[in-house]
Amino acid sequence: MKNSRERRQPNIILINCDDLGYGDLACYGSGRNDTPHLDQLAAEGVRFTDFYAASPVCSASRAAMLTGCYSQRIGFADCQVLHPGQAQGLNSNESTIAGQLKRVGYDTKIVGKWHCGDQPEFLPTNHGFDEYFGIPFSNDMGRQVNRLDRPPLPLMRNDEVIQQQPDQRGITERYVNESLQFMRRDRTAPFFLYLAHMYVHVPLFVPKQFLDISRNGAYGGAVACIDWAMGMIEAELNRLGIKNETLVIFTSDNGSRARDEGGSNAPLRGTKAQTWEGGQRVPCIMRWPGKIAAGTTCEGIASSIDLFATLAELTGAPLPVDTTLDSISLADTLLNGSPTRRNTFAFYRRADLEAVRKGDWKLHFCKPEWSTEGAVTKGSPELYNLRKDVGETNNVYDKHPEIVTELEMAAEEFRRMFGDRRLNRAGTEIREAGACQNPKPLTEYDKNHPYMIAYYDLADMPTMSG
Ligand code: MG
């Protein structure tokens, strides 16, 4: 049964991968991974070429996407990657996409990686989601051969841990099953499904059938599994007859680590955790049959931060009152092919403004250099024309002083709002992250517990980071 409201308000499926790089899908130029279902999605919708994750790392990127704010604004400058039992998380005063959609009648569910805080007040069910099923942080944060100090990896339903150290080879199948069960429920309201994949974050435990078809080892198998998930969702949309009233958005939380496990940010420079393009420019495909022109490409600047205002406009959800957002709606771009309205983008790593983009130009100020004492942020400014030089290889800083001045002015506005630690500047528009007293990990190692997979033992384990 479909009422008139349902026809005006689309179902929304937001698929967010973990560490999937710009060059990892065939429709973005990968020659190593086969992604027929995602290529088909792009053929039926719009493919963004200049779409930025809000941050080059996980927690900050996800919190920013869900709130429509730069992670600095919501106090996540020092919550880049939240760890099990950490006292910080997404502040309960912040509005999320799920919370706004709920206000206009949506059923809301997140399946997969949350990573915006694991203490009770930070969990998804306190941030606008009716239901949660998933591993609440990164899949390398459980017990492993090189990390026996860590609590077992939890799998949760709503606010309860239902399994410890689940077999990661079966996780994506379980995520897809949860997603399809949610989609096929008898309902009159539209739904919002946020599927936050575990793949392709390391360690890469992949079912045998995907390894067998991969030309790119375990990494290619994980990408194939993401593509299989898209195929399953697609089949369910067709079976339910709701494909035309469902907006599907596919993206990634940050760029690939691009180490030897098989990921790629080609043709971009840099990796996850960096503010070169490869750290934050990610694949993004959106499809809404009959509304978004099929087979199109959008080359304007856009960001995951913009999903909040976009979905609000498309669904009639209210924007939060008295709360400043950084989100700029893409609705006119999606429905009418208009240019995106975002002209600038700030690249922060932690509390340092490392680069700013305006139009086709990107000005870098600094990068961290690692020593035994930790990271020291330094470097001389570099200027690139991304339209002509997407790989950021030809520094033209000395040739365009007037453009440098213009980008410096844009940077100053970000520094005024969000500060810049390198320059000892404090921001005037920073809200606080959530904080709690006496945080406690969700699980505790019990030597008598029957862990099916007690330890991860991939060969690349010693090189992994959180
Ligand atoms: Mg990530």
Side-chain angles (χ1 to χ4, degrees):
M1 297 292 290
K2 299 173 187 68
N3 60 28
S4 58
R5 191 185 64 169
E6 191 175 356
R7 280 197 296 276
R8 282 202 308 277
Q9 292 178 316
N11 303 309
I12 296 158
I13 300 177
L14 170 58
I15 302 170
N16 195 15
C17 300
D18 199 353
D19 297 4
L20 185 78
Y22 191 76
D24 278 336
L25 303 180
C27 54
Y28 277 84
S30 174
R32 294 194 285 186
N33 304 320
D34 299 313
T35 52
H37 294 107
L38 290 161
D39 301 346
Q40 184 62 26
L41 189 78
E44 294 175 2
V46 57
R47 190 180 66 91
F48 289 82
T49 62
D50 292 47
F51 188 92
Y52 293 102
S55 161
V57 287
C58 228
S59 296
S61 169
R62 287 156 196 264
M65 179 181 75
L66 289 166
T67 58
C69 295
Y70 278 103
S71 57
Q72 280 62 37
R73 187 182 291 286
I74 55 170
F76 265 59
D78 290 316
C79 300
Q80 301 277 292
V81 179
L82 292 169
H83 287 271
Q86 194 165 329
Q88 285 80 32
L90 187 55
N91 195 310
S92 50
N93 295 329
E94 297 293 345
S95 304
T96 66
I97 290 173
Q100 297 309 107
L101 292 177
K102 247 191 101 48
R103 292 178 64 179
V104 288
Y106 276 70
D107 293 341
T108 58
K109 177 161 185 149
I110 163 172
V111 175
K113 181 177 183 178
W114 168 242
H115 220 182
C116 295
D118 69 355
Q119 297 304 290
E121 55 265 62
F122 306 137
L123 290 173
T125 43
N126 288 319
H127 279 295
F129 289 97
D130 298 325
E131 299 170 34
Y132 176 44
F133 180 84
I135 296 168
F137 35 71
S138 300
N139 62 321
D140 66 346
M141 290 181 173
R143 287 177 70 80
Q144 301 168 166
V145 282
N146 59 344
R147 294 307 304 260
L148 291 176
D149 55 325
R150 286 186 173 161
L153 195 69
L155 177 68
M156 303 186 77
R157 183 173 294 287
N158 300 326
D159 56 0
E160 239 179 273
V161 175
I162 57 167
Q163 193 182 357
Q164 300 184 25
Q165 299 281 115
D167 185 344
Q168 293 193 20
R169 284 169 298 201
I171 284 292
T172 299
E173 182 184 18
R174 292 168 82 176
Y175 283 179
V176 170
N177 183 44
E178 280 285 325
S179 299
L180 300 196
Q181 297 295 340
F182 176 69
M183 288 166 66
R184 64 175 66 141
R185 253 181 236 168
D186 209 8
R187 57 161 67 83
T188 51
F191 67 79
F192 170 53
L193 170 65
Y194 173 33
L195 170 56
H197 277 298
M198 178 184 71
Y199 291 143
V200 289
H201 197 289
V202 293
L204 294 164
F205 286 95
V206 178
K208 183 170 182 306
Q209 62 268 44
F210 296 108
L211 288 175
D212 288 347
I213 59 170
S214 171
R215 293 181 287 119
N216 186 22
Y219 196 96
V223 174
C225 201
I226 289 171
D227 191 69
W228 165 82
M230 189 67 244
M232 290 296 106
I233 286 169
E234 192 66 8
E236 191 65 22
L237 288 172
N238 283 318
R239 198 180 71 79
L240 294 168
I242 57 171
K243 178 172 169 175
N244 289 345
E245 58 205 60
T246 302
L247 167 63
V248 177
I249 303 170
F250 179 94
T251 189
S252 176
D253 70 334
N254 50 251
S256 167
R257 301 197 327 161
R259 297 191 199 165
D260 51 11
E261 66 258 11
S264 167
N265 298 314
L268 310 177
R269 176 175 177 178
T271 65
K272 170 184 181 176
Q274 297 180 347
T275 51
W276 298 107
E277 291 290 285
Q280 285 184 250
R281 201 195 281 214
V282 289
C284 180
I285 302 165
M286 301 194 199
R287 185 196 67 191
W288 186 4
K291 302 282 188 179
I292 296 174
T296 50
T297 301
C298 175
E299 296 185 345
I301 304 173
S303 169
S304 60
I305 293 173
D306 299 330
L307 297 179
F308 191 110
T310 305
L311 297 178
E313 185 170 348
L314 294 176
T315 63
L319 290 174
V321 184
D322 299 334
T323 306
T324 307
L325 305 181
D326 301 299
S327 192
I328 302 173
S329 176
L330 295 163
D332 203 31
T333 301
L334 297 178
L335 302 178
N336 305 312
S338 311
T340 61
R341 292 189 284 125
R342 177 175 291 285
N343 193 31
T344 58
F345 189 76
F347 297 80
Y348 273 88
R349 199 188 65 86
R350 305 188 74 91
D352 293 324
L353 181 64
E354 291 195 346
V356 67
R357 176 173 177 178
K358 184 172 184 190
D360 291 344
W361 296 92
K362 184 173 173 187
L363 178 62
H364 292 266
F365 303 106
C366 57
K367 290 287 171 281
E369 286 178 19
W370 301 89
S371 71
T372 44
E373 271 97 73
V376 183
T377 303
K378 48 185 171 181
S380 47
E382 298 176 29
L383 180 73
Y384 297 96
N385 183 325
L386 295 176
R387 202 58 64 192
K388 291 187 189 151
D389 177 22
V390 76
E392 297 174 284
T393 57
N394 184 22
N395 176 11
V396 290
Y397 182 86
D398 293 334
K399 291 194 185 132
H400 299 283
E402 72 299 341
I403 288 165
V404 168
T405 303
E406 202 184 323
L407 268 75
E408 273 287 1
M409 282 169 64
E412 271 307 302
E413 176 59 9
F414 288 113
R415 290 185 185 120
R416 183 192 66 72
M417 292 192 289
F418 307 138
D420 192 345
R421 189 175 285 160
R422 180 180 63 103
L423 304 177
N424 290 317
R425 296 272 298 272
T428 58
E429 297 194 16
I430 296 173
R431 303 193 288 265
E432 285 187 358
C436 71
Q437 302 293 318
N438 308 315
K440 200 169 135 243
L442 292 160
T443 57
E444 210 173 280
Y445 180 67
D446 172 358
K447 67 180 172 38
N448 297 317
H449 186 100
Y451 300 107
M452 177 68 86
I453 293 184
Y455 307 108
Y456 301 123
D457 58 358
L458 288 189
D460 68 347
M461 292 300 304
T463 64
M464 287 194 350
S465 63

